Amino acid sequence: PLTLGEVRTLVELFYLPYQHGPLAQHLLEHFRWLRANRSSVGVPAPAGDGCGAGRWRGQARCFGLLCARVCCLHSRFVRGAGRALLYDLHPYLWDIRNLLLAAGAFVLWLGCQSVPAPTLLGGNAEPWARRGGLFGELQALLPVGNCCDLFYHPPPLFPSSQTYVLRPLQPLDKVGAVACRAFRGAGWLQAAAQRAPAPAGRLLGSFLSLSPEYTFVLEDEEGPCGYAAAALCAEGFLQQRDCSWLPALRHKYPRDLGVGASGLGQEALLFLHAELPAVPPPVLRRFPSLLQLGTAPRVLDAGATRSLVICLLSALRASGSRGVFCLVSAADRQQLSFYSKLG
């Protein structure tokens, strides 16, 4: 059963319509302070401001611990609450957990030394664009807080106690291993174990190599299970991919390498050497950033995937992007369905 401390945490998250409990107030204060003082963690760090950067990172750790506490509470609540109470309160706690997954990863991204200090864009929104309570105030602090359709999603019919961690791609991550573990369940990267390029590797590898600062990883108890990747300037990214990254990969894996290989290996090589469709210039002008998402089949909670979207779009918006697009084949019904379900 839930402990007294966990019940108190639950009450503090949903205290009164216009008054927050101590835990919720701490979450908001930390998030506001971290946004307002992001300039103290510039790259390189401002001269003589080591104390400011240290304080910022300390506050970021405290905020991350508070977010993890709420995520753990959600998992414990699903396991330990009575059925009637669970189905009454789960939608609210599920919403807060998903938003804090995105907010915690966004704060981690703000503190990444490889990312230049962004400009956090604000803006007034219509009253109906945000919800009330703690959820609405946290939503307003994210750079994409005015995009109300990102934050409205029905909770799952069957609550899951699965815990997730959402974070930026780290410099010490073994990129190939992360991608392989995340998507082996889908069969996309089985050929990677045999040193053959897989379709997902061709799509994801360019982001991991050319735009790692806008790549986020979703993990569950088994390891990486999803990713969100983007290029801030899609036009330059696509040129670099086509002129340098892709030719080098094709040279490493020539077309005749697939002779005698398994069906998946041959398919991967044909996919790698096929010509890529050009993106129309009007699309690049209106939507300057390119985005790609993917999750393993075992991720059944749409809230975790939506957190990936919110976090990545917040990072792009904070860096000045005014629109994103994604490349999907008209014949790829699985990907079309995946993006459609996300809205």
Side-chain angles (χ1 to χ4, degrees):
L2 296 173
T3 66
L4 179 61
E6 289 168 334
V7 174
R8 181 180 292 113
T9 298
L10 183 63
V11 171
E12 290 177 2
L13 289 172
F14 310 101
Y15 196 63
L16 289 172
Y18 301 102
Q19 183 179 353
H20 305 302
L23 175 67
Q25 196 61 42
H26 287 324
L27 279 167
L28 288 172
E29 289 173 357
H30 282 311
F31 202 3
R32 290 193 186 107
W33 189 90
L34 289 166
R35 274 183 47 120
N37 295 274
R38 173 59 183 84
S39 59
S40 63
V41 200
V43 183
D49 197 25
C51 293
R55 184 186 174 192
W56 193 94
R57 298 190 186 283
Q59 290 273 35
R61 281 192 294 271
C62 290
F63 181 75
L65 289 174
L66 290 175
C67 293
R69 181 176 168 185
V70 175
C71 294
C72 182
L73 172 63
H74 170 267
S75 179
R76 290 272 295 122
F77 184 75
V78 173
R79 291 193 184 108
R83 294 294 96 182
L85 185 63
L86 171 62
Y87 281 95
D88 277 344
L89 299 185
H90 177 260
Y92 305 99
L93 189 56
W94 181 76
D95 272 342
I96 290 292
R97 183 211 68 168
N98 295 337
L99 192 56
L100 289 179
L101 274 176
F106 178 65
V107 166
L108 286 176
W109 176 81
L110 287 177
C112 287
Q113 299 211 2
S114 61
V115 179
T119 301
L120 295 175
L121 303 175
N124 296 323
E126 296 293 334
W128 52 263
R130 294 175 187 156
R131 292 158 56 178
L134 176 63
F135 185 97
E137 294 204 40
L138 287 170
Q139 176 189 342
L141 291 173
L142 287 169
V144 290
N146 294 344
C147 303
C148 58
D149 54 332
L150 287 172
F151 299 89
Y152 288 84
H153 196 71
L157 293 176
F158 303 100
S160 169
S161 61
Q162 177 67 63
T163 56
Y164 293 98
V165 174
L166 178 55
R167 60 176 179 81
L169 187 74
Q170 301 295 330
L172 296 180
D173 281 330
K174 293 183 178 179
V175 169
V178 167
C180 243
R181 290 199 304 270
F183 304 107
R184 189 178 291 117
W188 295 347
L189 290 185
Q190 290 176 356
Q194 304 171 358
R195 296 184 179 274
R202 181 208 190 193
L203 297 173
L204 178 58
S206 55
F207 289 101
L208 297 175
S209 300
L210 305 177
S211 185
E213 63 273 18
Y214 293 100
T215 303
F216 293 86
V217 179
L218 181 69
E219 295 179 323
D220 61 10
E221 295 169 356
E222 298 182 31
C225 59
Y227 75 93
L232 181 63
C233 178
E235 186 173 10
F237 170 82
L238 293 174
Q239 289 178 356
Q240 191 174 2
R241 183 197 66 179
D242 295 341
C243 295
S244 59
W245 184 83
L246 199 53
L249 199 62
R250 287 169 174 170
H251 178 74
K252 184 176 181 180
Y253 300 104
R255 192 186 299 269
D256 56 8
L257 189 65
V259 177
S262 64
L264 183 59
Q266 290 179 344
E267 178 188 353
L269 283 168
L270 290 175
F271 190 85
L272 176 65
H273 287 272
E275 290 300 321
L276 293 171
V279 180
V283 173
L284 293 173
R285 286 195 296 268
R286 185 174 179 184
F287 307 101
S289 301
L290 174 63
L291 173 146
Q292 180 178 308
L293 305 166
T295 57
R298 67 178 186 269
V299 181
L300 303 178
D301 190 340
T305 309
R306 190 164 289 256
S307 297
L308 267 173
V309 180
I310 293 172
C311 181
L312 180 59
L313 292 182
S314 292
L316 291 171
R317 178 68 172 158
S319 298
S321 177
R322 63 183 183 276
V324 297
F325 71 97
C326 53
L327 295 170
V328 184
S329 169
D332 193 341
R333 295 184 178 180
Q334 183 178 6
Q335 279 292 92
L336 289 172
S337 174
F338 176 73
Y339 286 112
S340 299
K341 288 179 181 178
L342 288 173

